Structures are given as C-alpha cells and as structure tokens.
Amino acid sequence: MYGHVEAMAKKIKEGVENVEGVEGYLFRVAETLPADVLQKMHAPPKDESIPIISASDLPGADAILFGFPTRYGTMPAQMKAFFDSTDEIWESQQLTGKPGGFFVSTGTQGGGQETTAWTAITQLVHHGMLFIPVGYTFGASMFKLDEVKAGSPYGAGTFAGDGTKLPTEIELAFAEHQGRYTAGIVKRLCTS
C-alpha cells in the first residue's frame, strides 16, 4: 500500500541479478480495495511500470519470491485472492517442485514478521513447491541489537509503522541477500 514491499522487492531483484545468468522480474497482485478507500488511507499511486501478475504467469518462473504486508498476522486479502486464483495451475500441478519464499512488511515488531511467512507456507505446500528459507545466512547482522530492524529466518522484512517509516539500510541489505541467496540455490538446482 505504501511502497514498503515494493522497495524490498526491488532490492531482492538486485540480489537475484547479482548471480550470473539469473534474471529477476517484478510483478504486483491486483488491488482489491476501491479507489475511494485507498484515497482515504493516503495510499500513493502504484508504480505503473510494474505489471499485475496473473496465475498463468507463475509456471514460467524457475522460482518465486512472494512479498506482502501483513494483515492481522497473515497475508492481506489481495494476496490471498491471488493465491485463490491459482486453482487451475494447482489442478495441473504446474508449480510442483518449484522453489519459493517470502518477504514481508509489518507495522510493528510484534506484527507478524514470522507468522505472516509461516502461515503463507501452506500456499506453497498445496502447490508442491519447495520452501527456501533464508535461515541465518545473513550472518552477524541478524543478531545486532543496536537498531530496530525486521526480518527473520523465514525471509527479509521491514517495519512500516504507520506507513511513514521507510525500510532501513540493513533491511534492504537483507532483502538483497535473500535475492542473491535464493538465486544461487535456484541456479544450482537448474544446472544439476
């Protein structure tokens, strides 16, 4: 809604493209809120250069990193509506064996950094996808307590607060790491 996930996605894409021979693409899911509601929420306009994804776009990817904000500790309705639209590719099992992961934005530290990703894993499981968590591969930065930062072993994250807080440098670096880390695994899987 406020660009936090988009900023993280752009850094993830940078990380993906830092792996030789790997390309990343950005998509967004369709907005389900009416324009007047978005206006009342002071939501900025969407970046029109990022296309809206459809379920039929997913099988063409070697891997998929899904990013979304949290809503009461789980994915928002827009993302759930998108996953609900994947029934045809589920029926034909077109995503089976495909690696996937998550990155999230939450309002607060207790707002669902882990539960949002954890509850989304069910979507991958029903498609037979392989969940690629980041674990603690981001290293020492995951353990520093000198600044407030988001992210977890499930994936990169950011705290949005009331929507005015932007992702920090460390959160963006974590996102870039997740993209690079996931792309490296996918490259090994695709060449073996």
Side-chain angles (χ1 to χ4, degrees), residues 86-114:
T86 64
D87 58 323
E88 286 184 28
I89 60 173
W90 166 79
E91 186 177 345
S92 57
Q93 292 295 288
Q94 293 181 53
L95 301 182
T96 300
K98 197 174 292 287
F102 305 104
F103 58 100
V104 300
S105 171
T106 62
T108 64
Q109 290 174 315
Q113 284 286 310
E114 291 192 351

Side-chain angles (χ1 to χ4, degrees), residues 67-126:
F68 38 82
T70 188
R71 188 70 172 154
Y72 301 117
T74 188
M75 70 179 69
Q78 295 90 330
M79 197 70 209
K80 183 64 169 88
F82 173 74
F83 277 118
D84 287 347
S85 76
T86 64
D87 58 323
E88 286 184 28
I89 60 173
W90 166 79
E91 186 177 345
S92 57
Q93 292 295 288
Q94 293 181 53
L95 301 182
T96 300
K98 197 174 292 287
F102 305 104
F103 58 100
V104 300
S105 171
T106 62
T108 64
Q109 290 174 315
Q113 284 286 310
E114 291 192 351
T115 60
T116 302
W118 184 67
T119 56
I121 290 172
T122 59
Q123 306 301 316
L124 301 186
V125 169
H126 283 273

Side-chain angles (χ1 to χ4, degrees), residues 10 16 19 42 46 52 61 69 91 95 99 102 110 129 137 154-155 157:
K10 287 177 179 177
V16 165
V19 175
H42 306 287
K46 306 288 186 228
I52 294 176
E91 186 177 345
L95 301 182
F102 305 104
M129 296 177 73
T137 61
Y154 291 92

